[in-house]
Amino acid sequence: MRRMINPAELTILKDALDTLANGFSELPDFEADIDTDAIDAVLQEVAVRMQDNYPYHHPRYAGQMLKPPHAVARIAYMLALWTNPNNHALDGGRASSALEKECVQAIGTMFGLDDPLGHLCGGGTMANLEALWVAGRLHPGKKIIASAQAHYTHARISEVLALEFAAVSVTDAGTMDLEALESVLAAGDVGTVVATLGTTGIGAVDPLPDILKLARKYEVRVHVDTAYGGYFTLSSELASAARDAFDVIAQADSVVIDPHKHGLQPYGCGCILFRDSSVGALYKHDSPYTYFSSAELHLGEISLECSRPGAAAVALWATQQLFPMDVGGEFAQDLDRSLLAARALWNRVEQSNLFKALMPPELDIVVYAVNGADAASISEHASEVFHRAASKDLHLALIELPVDMVRHYWPDLIANRDTVRVLRSCLMKPEHLDWLDDMWPLLEAAVKPSDDD
Ligand SMILES: *Cc1c(COP(=O)(O)O)cnc(C)c1O
């Protein structure tokens, strides 16, 4: 049996649970009645069913935006499940709400926000929904705009909120085109521009300093969606344009970051922050049965979601203790390693005649085309490579890019298709840098299979 977990994790969990239980030892004895044999049997079945997943925890998984939670987050989350706090109200999660407030403050500090209003939530979708909901309340009837490479959630959320949405075209690097932005803004019907710092597809960083300038000129809000990219603000390896963008996040009206993307958390952990805490008034509601235990802020009073896992806050808080969000710290160095891994893969691709390098990675996502003559055949080939690599335990992802964008990097590609399917690797694990030597031959073999493949 190959080892996937360190057994010490279970010992740590048990020790922490004993300490937690000590806090309640004054209560009369009580233990829920469970049928351990039945649970054991069903868990064996679950474990077998769960084998039908790609190996997201392993460095050979270099596909979609998936990063395993750190052991400290996993254990802290499990620890919290024995009391299962609900961070909606202090009645449901006094201790875990306090931890959440500290976590959110720390994220605000990372971005240079002194006194933000914010909270954790289910993920980037929910966090962006809150940002655009507030945007719509403050600029009713006005448009939301985001780049054509922004996450599709912005168009869909706008639909949910009955706000008009428009996409702004992008440069060949996949970042928001400033001339296009200004011509949209000049029409006067825009309320909020969404800047993406790290697009989900290719990791492109929108030019936030210029976007802020234009937004001031046309008096529109700026929302920063850095669900995936946000923690890279701690990196020492960013190119200057990206560095400049991350450095002015605090000037935006709202920011979204997903601790469950690059923050080592299990799924179910997004975060929304508003620069101006007075937007909290927009959330005002009167629940007849929720907020009784104290006059202190209940997180449910500033959040659209009601019940939320206190466990998510517990896990994030524990992680932030072990890995403070410091420039130059261990957490930041791991992010740098991901960035370097992406550049190293891009360099190999650039030197190989089996592939065509496209835009150099700004963060840790690399997109690369299989060499060939025309858009249709290389798209087919990319899908074959994806499957062949997976059969050798190297897991990649695919993305469709506009053919004009690809032709900027590959002018003689025949454009017999509107989009080109290319390979995509999110190198989010710090181990990826060391594993490139292991992965590269598999990648080459997937493009050029030998007879015995
Ligand atoms: C992942 C992502 C989202 C959506 O967030 P979820 O956590 O998947 O709900 C939105 N925007 C960006 C830029 C993302 O990377």
Side-chain angles (χ1 to χ4, degrees):
M1 189 174 54
R2 302 297 288 268
R3 229 166 79 162
M4 177 171 155
I5 76 158
N6 183 334
E9 286 188 40
L10 300 180
T11 314
I12 296 166
L13 173 61
K14 173 70 172 55
D15 291 348
L17 278 169
D18 287 344
T19 301
L20 175 64
N22 279 343
F24 301 100
S25 55
E26 301 294 308
L27 290 165
D29 269 354
F30 166 74
E31 200 180 284
D33 188 20
I34 55 171
D35 180 343
T36 53
D37 289 341
I39 294 174
D40 189 37
V42 81
L43 259 294
Q44 285 301 317
E45 200 179 328
V46 172
V48 171
R49 291 292 294 266
M50 290 293 286
Q51 292 171 354
D52 185 30
N53 266 326
Y54 291 123
Y56 309 118
H57 60 288
H58 197 282
R60 283 273 194 90
Y61 186 87
Q64 305 281 5
M65 196 174 276
L66 291 149
K67 179 171 177 170
H70 193 275
V72 69
R74 266 199 310 261
I75 298 168
Y77 199 103
M78 285 188 281
L79 170 68
L81 292 181
W82 267 265
T83 48
N84 194 32
N86 180 343
N87 276 14
H88 178 207
L90 293 170
D91 313 56
R94 194 170 50 234
S96 50
S97 291
L99 297 182
E100 176 167 334
K101 289 172 190 173
E102 290 178 34
C103 286
V104 170
Q105 191 67 39
I107 291 174
T109 302
M110 173 175 76
F111 289 132
L113 288 160
D114 302 325
D115 182 29
L117 182 89
H119 59 88
L120 302 180
C121 58
T125 304
M126 196 62 214
N128 279 304
L129 172 70
E130 293 206 17
L132 298 189
W133 173 70
V134 166
R137 296 287 298 270
L138 295 175
H139 289 294
K142 294 214 159 173
K143 269 187 199 161
I144 305 288
I145 60 173
S147 94
Q149 285 286 319
H151 199 285
Y152 68 84
T153 196
H154 296 287
R156 208 156 63 174
I157 289 168
S158 301
E159 213 173 288
V160 171
L161 296 170
L163 295 168
E164 217 182 305
F165 175 87
V168 180
S169 54
V170 292
T171 65
D172 296 315
T175 59
M176 187 179 278
D177 185 295
L178 292 167
E179 270 176 39
L181 171 62
E182 179 145 24
S183 71
V184 176
L185 289 174
D189 58 354
V190 173
T192 298
V193 51
V194 177
T196 308
L197 268 51
T199 58
T200 317
I202 66 175
V205 178
D206 282 347
L208 186 57
D210 303 292
I211 292 172
L212 284 164
K213 260 182 231 144
L214 287 171
R216 283 186 200 115
K217 176 170 169 193
Y218 292 95
E219 295 176 353
V220 304
R221 283 176 72 79
V222 175
H223 168 59
V224 170
D225 181 2
T226 191
Y228 145 70
Y231 286 105
F232 279 104
T233 193
L234 299 173
S235 172
S236 310
E237 287 289 340
L238 294 176
S240 66
R243 182 72 269 161
D244 292 347
F246 281 101
D247 282 347
V248 292
I249 286 180
Q251 295 174 34
D253 296 285
S254 50
V255 193
V256 161
I257 180 169
D258 263 351
H260 71 200
K261 294 251 177 74
H262 249 309
L264 303 169
Q265 298 310 294
Y267 284 116
C269 193
C271 180
I272 170 71
L273 296 165
F274 295 96
R275 179 165 48 96
D276 175 3
S277 57
S278 74
V279 301
L282 297 170
Y283 287 86
K284 193 169 165 31
H285 65 104
D286 295 304
S287 165
Y289 41 73
T290 310
Y291 311 120
F292 287 102
S293 63
S294 97
E296 219 184 298
L297 178 72
H298 300 257
L299 288 163
E301 294 177 289
I302 54 154
S303 136
L304 287 184
E305 277 172 296
C306 297
S307 296
R308 287 192 295 112
V314 173
L316 182 59
W317 191 88
T319 308
Q320 289 181 355
Q321 303 317 296
L322 202 58
F323 301 106
M325 295 176 286
D326 298 330
V327 175
E330 193 179 346
F331 178 65
Q333 287 177 21
D334 278 352
L335 292 167
D336 283 345
R337 264 190 279 278
S338 285
L339 222 150
L340 296 176
R343 285 180 194 159
L345 175 59
W346 187 86
N347 284 332
R348 290 196 190 210
V349 163
E350 225 234 336
Q351 284 156 25
S352 164
N353 56 18
L354 296 177
F355 298 99
K356 282 281 186 183
L358 304 176
M359 60 286 285
E362 283 194 87
L363 301 179
D364 62 6
I365 303 173
V366 195
V367 291
Y368 45 110
V370 183
N371 205 352
D374 64 89
S377 67
I378 67 166
S379 296
E380 282 287 301
H381 198 178
S383 294
E384 287 163 24
V385 170
F386 169 85
H387 290 293
R388 220 178 283 130
S391 73
K392 303 284 181 203
D393 282 327
L394 175 68
H395 301 279
L396 312 169
L398 296 163
I399 183 172
E400 296 272 346
L401 294 175
V403 71
D404 291 337
M405 187 187 276
V406 174
R407 271 162 51 91
H408 176 78
Y409 301 93
W410 187 354
D412 50 355
L413 177 72
I414 298 166
N416 55 353
R417 202 171 179 272
D418 291 340
T419 60
V420 184
R421 191 176 314 133
V422 302
L423 295 160
R424 168 171 169 264
S425 286
C426 302
L427 300 177
M428 300 180 82
K429 300 183 183 89
E431 296 86 2
H432 273 138
L433 185 57
D434 293 336
W435 278 72
L436 273 186
D437 284 341
D438 165 83
M439 289 156 54
W440 182 254
L442 294 172
L443 195 53
E444 286 185 316
V447 179
K448 258 196 133 141
S450 65
D451 290 344
D452 44 66
D453 271 308

